[in-house]
Amino acid sequence: GRPAASPSSDLDLVIFAPKPFDVHFARNLLSSLRSVSRSIDVIVETLTCGFLLEEYVSSAGGKVLLRSYD
């Protein structure tokens, strides 16, 4: 019965990506999502792990922290 979000809350979004995508696609996706909301956290879930989209973009496809399902 209590509000779980407010106008200042960030948006948490989970995207399932069964196929790999490159940094260029990730940058465009993040840019599009940011045009909708000023504060958005995007987690990409793959078949084997998960990672933060912003971290993937800022590392230019380099090292990112992967979250396993174990």
Side-chain angles (χ1 to χ4, degrees):
R2 290 203 250 171
S6 71
S8 63
S9 296
D10 69 337
L11 176 63
D12 294 325
L13 181 65
V14 178
I15 296 175
F16 180 64
K19 296 180 182 179
F21 54 82
D22 62 19
V23 175
H24 179 71
F25 176 82
R27 241 184 233 122
N28 288 336
L29 177 60
L30 191 59
S31 177
S32 295
L33 292 170
R34 289 241 166 94
S35 70
V36 175
S37 173
R38 64 176 171 76
S39 182
I40 186 168
D41 295 325
V42 182
I43 297 172
V44 178
E45 295 284 336
T46 71
L47 297 172
T48 57
C49 66
F51 57 91
L52 292 173
L53 185 65
E54 184 171 4
E55 188 175 334
Y56 179 64
V57 167
S58 66
S59 72
K63 294 181 180 182
V64 297
L65 178 64
L66 298 178
R67 289 138 178 95
S68 70
Y69 299 127
D70 295 335

